[in-house]
Amino acid sequence: MNPVLPGEIAIKSESDIVAARRTVRDAAMQVGFGMTDVTRIVTAASELARNVFKYAGEGAMTWRQLEEPGRMGIELRFIDHGPGIADVQLALQEGYSTGAGLGLGLPGAKRLMDELDIQTASGQGTTITLKKWRMI
Amino acid sequence: MKSKTKSPNGGGEKRLEAVTTPDMLRMLVENVRDYAIILLDPKGNVTSWSPTAERLKGWRAEEIIGQHFSKFYPPEDNVSHKTATELAVAEKEGRFEDEGWRVRKDGTRFWANVVLTALRDKEGKLVGFGKVTRDLSERRAAEEKIRKQSQEIFEMAAVPVVQVWEGILLVPLIGTLDSQRTQHLMERLLQRVTETSSPVALLDITGVPTIDSQTAQHLIETVAAVRLLGADVVLTGVRPTIAQTLVHLGIDLSNVFTRSSLTAGVRMALEILNLKVGPKS
Amino acid sequence: MNNESISVIKVRDILMVTMPSDPDDSTISSLQNKVLTAMERTDAKGVILDISTVETLDSFFARTVSETAQMVALMGGRTIVAGMRPAVAVTATQIGLTLKNIETSLNVERALDAATAERPRDPR
Ligand SMILES: Nc1ncnc2c1ncn2[C@@H]1O[C@H](COP(=O)(O)OP(=O)(O)OP(=O)(O)O)[C@@H](O)[C@H]1O
Ligand SMILES: [Mg+2]
């Protein structure tokens, strides 16, 4: 019954993407998510951590446990000061990519998590907040 | 009440209460186990601390008296907002009760039940708050375990997955398939396919009254996920009305093996098994 | 951070490729080269990609697997992805990763049976 302590790690190299995945896996397990949800959360984190590294060069991820009556959850936030996303609707469309990817990262993360919020503007950097809940 | 009894020193009932009751109260506050009882001033600063509070929360009286009770909250809570609301509610309603994480001096957490009670003098002026905190960590852990277990039992009962033949699993679906149930179904079926290394799963929808487009989508996803594992799904019990609905909804099941009866499905499954074993064996 | 790497060994005329559980991006990227050079060197008939320990299959990983399979096909070989975990399969499906045109198998032994059989197994 140890709650997850909030924390932050930098994302500025490829190995930080691996570290972000591991951190998120541990935290999600500690919050009590089942194996499938843990995999969903880690996969979403992997997508967004790679986007930070690929499009902004560097940034950070923070995580914390959420508590509400009847449910518990995890919040992940990816913060960078890169170029920002000019058209969020477009970026959320499946298959849209400026980086020769499948364009599945953002829309995929949205489907895997319960909530996804994007704060961004051209030249202003990007902050993406993800939440996943489980009933208790 | 010994209201009519005179005390030996002849002081009368007033004196008895003045000496004994506060002493007994103090003993109660200091010795009751599992509860920490403290006093706050109207702004929420600690004015009285007890040994039980020290035991539960770690601070000594001289460290905490005069400090604001927001110290007891985890940092990620919106602390100033929360504490202000709690005091306001307790003042207005007379009482505020909450359950949640609280922190000890060393930073560790415990799951607490907290009751704040407004204390007023004879004129009704607010003089402070009584705060009773109870450590419920153990109860919460036990509850969570039970909830998790019953959830698992419920999910298993809702979606039976049976092995009918070496290499063939059968999932007889009965009743309406909502999203959540289909989700559980998918997870359990995949688990069983892997555990039993079964190359074929029969998904029998004979007992499903109607299918809407969302359910059909879930079924298609289930089939896709099972294929990623390296197994196939045969959808059986597709009655005429369901076949009509699926076509009208524009759902493409051309990539999914479907059979009208379970018997035909089993035959199909055996055929797939044969092909999978390969000509060499 | 990650010292594990991809192992490639030849069994009969098939290349058995084992992925580490949590590979970083350069390890994933090295998959293509390793497999294609081994295909050429050993004249293998096909590739079995064992992902049974893989815990996360994101879009980058999946794209690399798909592309590698396409290249192997151009060199006349088959690719069978073996041993995907249930949670990974659910997640991949939900993101929309279908691994189109890739054969899958429950485990490495079955994959080996299928790969050495005379014809592809899919009756569709
Ligand atoms: N942190 C970011 N900063 C700037 N642009 C971003 C950021 N994240 C995403 N984008 C933009 O949004 C587009 C879509 O992102 P998404 O992750 O869905 O696809 P992708 O990264 O191009 O491909 P995939 O993730 O499938 O490999 C990207 O191509 C990029 O233009
Ligand atoms: Mg991406």
Side-chain angles (χ1 to χ4, degrees):
Chain A
M1 280 304 298
N2 291 319
V4 176
L5 296 178
E8 166 168 354
I9 63 170
I11 301 170
K12 49 185 195 299
S13 73
E14 247 178 31
S15 62
D16 293 334
I17 303 176
V18 179
R21 282 201 292 264
R22 288 189 187 160
T23 310
V24 171
R25 177 172 297 276
D26 290 347
M29 282 179 27
Q30 217 175 319
V31 175
F33 284 103
M35 209 49 230
T36 309
D37 275 341
V38 169
T39 306
R40 288 187 174 108
I41 298 164
V42 174
T43 306
S46 184
E47 296 292 352
L48 295 194
R50 185 175 296 102
N51 281 356
V52 166
F53 180 61
K54 189 167 160 185
Y55 300 110
E58 60 173 60
M61 175 187 82
T62 67
W63 67 91
R64 67 184 185 113
Q65 180 169 313
L66 304 170
E67 306 266 348
E68 273 179 20
R71 62 181 192 168
M72 277 169 91
I74 190 168
E75 180 190 276
L76 305 175
R77 184 167 286 167
F78 296 83
I79 305 145
D80 69 57
H81 302 288
I85 303 173
D87 187 338
V88 174
Q89 285 318 310
L90 200 58
L92 278 171
Q93 251 169 48
E94 205 165 286
Y96 174 79
S97 172
T98 60
L102 295 173
L104 289 177
L106 277 180
K110 190 177 162 91
R111 272 200 295 270
L112 294 173
M113 304 295 283
D114 294 326
E115 295 170 37
L116 178 139
D117 172 75
I118 304 182
Q119 298 295 331
T120 184
S122 240
Q124 302 290 302
T126 304
T127 297
I128 301 183
T129 308
L130 303 173
K131 287 182 190 169
K132 183 93 180 163
W133 294 100
R134 74 181 189 87
M135 297 302 146
I136 52 170
Chain B
M1 288 296 274
K2 303 176 172 179
S3 50
K4 296 280 182 281
T5 323
K6 299 250 176 195
S7 71
N9 57 15
E13 90 181 64
K14 254 216 156 97
R15 188 168 160 81
L16 180 89
E17 269 184 2
V19 174
T20 316
T21 312
D23 272 356
M24 283 176 68
L25 264 180
R26 184 182 49 76
M27 279 159 63
L28 177 70
V29 167
E30 288 180 0
N31 293 303
V32 70
R33 285 173 48 104
D34 309 323
Y35 289 85
I37 303 172
I38 64 169
L39 295 176
L40 307 177
D41 70 12
K43 291 211 169 86
N45 298 313
V46 178
T47 53
S48 156
W49 195 247
S50 63
T52 43
E54 181 179 335
R55 223 173 299 141
L56 182 61
K57 304 187 192 215
W59 285 279
R60 302 173 57 78
E62 60 268 26
E63 294 170 324
I64 200 72
I65 285 184
Q67 303 264 6
H68 196 255
F69 81 113
S70 53
K71 270 217 138 99
F72 308 143
Y73 287 78
E76 73 270 17
D77 279 346
N78 188 350
V79 179
S80 57
H81 174 73
K82 230 174 156 165
T83 52
T85 314
E86 290 182 9
L87 293 182
V89 172
E91 180 174 356
K92 193 158 164 280
E93 314 279 337
R95 186 175 186 278
F96 176 87
E97 182 164 357
D98 182 33
E99 245 184 58
W101 292 110
R102 295 296 185 271
V103 289
R104 300 190 182 89
K105 184 187 172 190
D106 63 5
T108 58
R109 295 169 188 223
F110 62 101
W111 186 258
N113 169 282
V114 179
V115 179
L116 272 177
T117 311
L119 304 175
R120 295 176 182 280
D121 63 15
K122 285 201 187 86
E123 283 75 50
K125 191 175 150 267
L126 184 74
V127 293
F129 297 92
K131 183 167 177 290
V132 180
T133 307
R134 197 174 158 200
D135 182 357
L136 295 181
S137 302
E138 265 173 40
R139 194 204 71 188
R140 182 179 154 94
E143 276 177 7
E144 195 152 316
K145 199 169 155 204
I146 293 168
R147 251 190 245 120
K148 205 163 184 169
Q149 280 168 349
S150 48
Q151 177 80 8
E152 274 165 18
I153 292 168
F154 168 78
E155 281 164 16
M156 260 164 62
V159 188
V161 180
V162 264
Q163 188 164 18
V164 285
W165 194 275
E166 170 92 42
I168 303 177
L169 294 181
L170 168 65
V171 190
L173 290 172
I174 295 160
T176 318
L177 295 174
D178 59 21
S179 287
Q180 203 185 8
R181 229 185 123 207
T182 325
Q183 192 69 48
H184 289 154
L185 155 76
M186 162 140 88
E187 288 179 22
R188 245 184 78 66
L189 175 59
L190 265 66
Q191 197 65 47
R192 293 292 292 154
V193 164
T194 302
E195 278 165 14
T196 59
S197 289
S198 301
V200 193
L202 294 162
L203 211 52
D204 185 56
I205 56 170
T206 309
V208 177
T210 52
I211 283 193
D212 58 17
S213 57
Q214 196 172 10
T215 311
Q217 204 49 50
H218 281 306
L219 287 175
I220 290 174
E221 264 181 42
T222 306
V223 174
V226 171
R227 277 207 194 131
L228 285 179
L229 295 184
D232 276 303
V233 173
V234 181
L235 199 60
T236 66
V238 184
R239 301 188 312 280
T241 51
I242 291 210
Q244 281 167 334
T245 319
L246 290 176
V247 171
H248 285 150
L249 288 172
I251 287 152
D252 182 15
L253 287 176
S254 59
N255 262 326
V256 180
F257 300 122
T258 55
R259 287 294 180 269
S260 58
S261 73
L262 187 53
T263 328
V266 172
R267 224 177 295 129
M268 168 102 238
L270 288 170
E271 218 174 288
I272 297 174
L273 272 189
N274 251 333
L275 284 169
K276 291 211 172 180
V277 174
K280 277 194 176 164
S281 38
Chain C
M1 187 104 208
N2 194 309
N3 326 313
E4 286 178 283
S5 64
I6 299 171
S7 91
V8 181
I9 53 166
K10 198 175 172 201
V11 182
R12 292 185 246 171
D13 45 7
I14 304 294
L15 292 178
M16 296 272 297
V17 181
T18 310
M19 292 302 291
S21 66
D22 194 8
D24 61 20
D25 289 7
S26 16
T27 307
I28 294 172
S29 299
S30 70
L31 177 70
Q32 261 166 28
N33 243 333
K34 281 205 166 164
V35 168
L36 297 182
T37 34
M39 276 292 283
E40 186 179 30
R41 198 180 60 238
T42 62
D43 203 19
K45 263 181 31 183
V47 176
I48 293 172
L49 186 60
D50 179 4
I51 59 162
S52 55
T53 66
V54 169
E55 293 176 330
T56 321
L57 185 69
D58 60 14
S59 62
F60 175 72
F61 197 162
R63 177 162 53 107
T64 310
V65 170
S66 286
E67 284 178 4
T68 307
Q70 280 174 38
M71 294 168 190
V72 170
L74 287 175
M75 293 176 74
R78 288 166 71 180
T79 300
I80 303 178
V81 171
M84 189 183 296
R85 295 184 175 198
V88 173
V90 174
T91 305
T93 309
Q94 209 176 347
I95 306 191
L97 303 171
T98 48
L99 296 184
K100 258 199 300 282
N101 306 323
I102 294 184
E103 288 178 67
T104 49
S105 206
L106 286 166
N107 51 46
V108 168
E109 298 86 76
R110 282 181 181 280
L112 206 52
D113 280 347
T116 49
E118 289 302 311
R119 59 194 158 120
R121 61 166 175 91
D122 201 332
R124 266 176 298 253

